[in-house]
Amino acid sequence: MALSISWIIQQTECLTELRNSDKRVCWIQKKQIGQQYHNQLYCYFLGEITIISDQTHSVKSHIHTYGGGSFWLNNEYLWYSNELDGQLYCYDFSYQQLKQITMPEQTDHWVFANGYMTQSGDSICVAERHQSGTVKYALVWIHSANGLVEVIDDQDDFYAYPRLNQDETAICWISWQKGHMPWQENKLNVANFNQQQIHSKEQLSGSNRSYSQPIWHQDSLIYLHDGTGFSN
């Protein structure tokens, strides 16, 4: 079948978090399983729609309270957050196999969202930790081989949109501080990147300015900002 606007309109369940790679289009649909509703992950590829997530899972992240960014993909793999245990899982498109990446004893109360896949198959994402009555946010690198979580940056209160350039020598991300919503005032961070560490960080910021959706095109960084009163 062809994936079309008319097919999407005909769906009784809400479709959310529509994302794509060069080969696939993926999204989340809420389905009733037994007495409970789970968010299941679907992918469209070569005319067929398949369920990617384990049917005992629910694809969602509770990061920043309201969630979002609960899965990310490239042409080979897809990672998602299971809200029922807070762990990350990876689906291998070639072998059609699902593997748990993080384990509770490794993640130290972290939950994850808003990730980006690296060339090695690891992920950079935003992490949130509730511990001893405090909430902490960070950018983290997660190793696909063993689920090890390494903090890249934790100097700001909130994070979003981590992205690497094509040769993975530079990284960008959005951050903001308590007292501001991200669409009111935030910072666009850019840094050199080597061996999971940032160097020579620079920031674009301004009073009542917000930046969003940064992406790399070769060595150039493209982003939206509202310095003119409009996001452009």
Side-chain angles (χ1 to χ4, degrees):
M1 62 164 287
L3 190 63
S4 64
I5 295 298
S6 60
W7 179 87
I8 293 174
I9 293 173
Q10 291 170 7
Q11 301 308 297
T12 56
E13 302 88 359
C14 179
L15 278 64
T16 61
E17 296 196 41
L18 185 70
R19 294 187 175 85
N20 68 283
S21 67
D22 294 336
K23 297 180 178 180
R24 293 172 174 84
V25 178
C26 300
W27 65 90
I28 291 173
Q29 281 182 261
K30 182 172 286 188
K31 294 282 189 178
Q32 186 172 0
I33 300 176
Q35 300 298 316
Q36 297 180 324
Y37 283 91
H38 288 191
N39 293 324
Q40 292 196 312
L41 186 55
Y42 291 76
C43 276
Y44 175 83
F45 178 61
L46 296 179
E48 294 186 0
I49 296 175
T50 56
I51 300 175
I52 299 300
S53 55
D54 188 300
Q55 294 196 26
T56 64
H57 292 173
S58 184
V59 181
K60 186 175 181 179
S61 173
H62 290 288
I63 200 167
H64 296 151
T65 304
Y66 46 80
S70 55
F71 75 93
W72 50 96
L73 73 153
N74 61 17
N75 288 332
E76 288 77 36
Y77 304 101
L78 181 149
W79 286 41
Y80 69 81
S81 169
N82 175 26
E83 71 167 326
L84 303 182
D85 61 9
Q87 305 305 310
L88 290 175
Y89 294 78
C90 176
Y91 185 84
D92 185 319
F93 288 118
S94 297
Y95 294 97
Q96 299 182 8
Q97 293 179 344
L98 184 66
K99 179 178 76 170
Q100 184 170 349
I101 298 294
T102 57
M103 301 294 175
E105 61 272 17
Q106 293 175 311
T107 54
D108 195 22
H109 303 282
W110 290 108
V111 292
F112 310 97
N114 202 194
Y116 178 85
M117 199 90 64
T118 70
Q119 294 176 6
S120 65
D122 296 344
S123 280
I124 294 174
C125 64
V126 180
E128 173 187 293
R129 178 167 62 190
H130 292 252
Q131 195 172 32
S132 301
T134 62
V135 181
K136 182 70 176 178
Y137 294 90
L139 282 185
V140 299
W141 180 290
I142 303 177
H143 296 263
S144 58
N146 55 18
L148 180 66
V149 180
E150 294 188 63
V151 174
I152 298 173
D153 189 86
D154 61 358
Q155 301 302 305
D156 289 307
D157 292 333
F158 302 100
Y159 291 86
Y161 292 114
R163 298 292 184 267
L164 291 170
N165 68 345
Q166 187 172 1
D167 61 7
E168 300 189 348
T169 59
I171 186 173
C172 69
W173 68 93
I174 300 292
S175 63
W176 64 99
Q177 305 300 119
K178 293 177 181 177
H180 298 284
M181 299 304 289
W183 54 86
Q184 295 174 323
E185 183 175 310
N186 62 26
K187 297 178 288 187
L188 174 57
N189 304 268
V190 184
N192 295 330
F193 194 69
N194 183 36
Q195 295 182 341
Q196 291 93 59
Q197 294 184 343
I198 60 173
H199 307 275
S200 306
K201 181 169 70 172
E202 299 180 0
Q203 293 180 333
L204 295 177
S205 62
S207 178
N208 296 320
R209 284 194 176 189
S210 70
Y211 300 81
S212 64
Q213 300 182 41
I215 58 172
W216 292 95
H217 177 65
Q218 298 177 356
D219 288 328
S220 298
L221 183 61
I222 302 170
Y223 55 88
L224 296 173
H225 77 101
D226 62 358
T228 62
F230 299 90
S231 289
N232 54 36

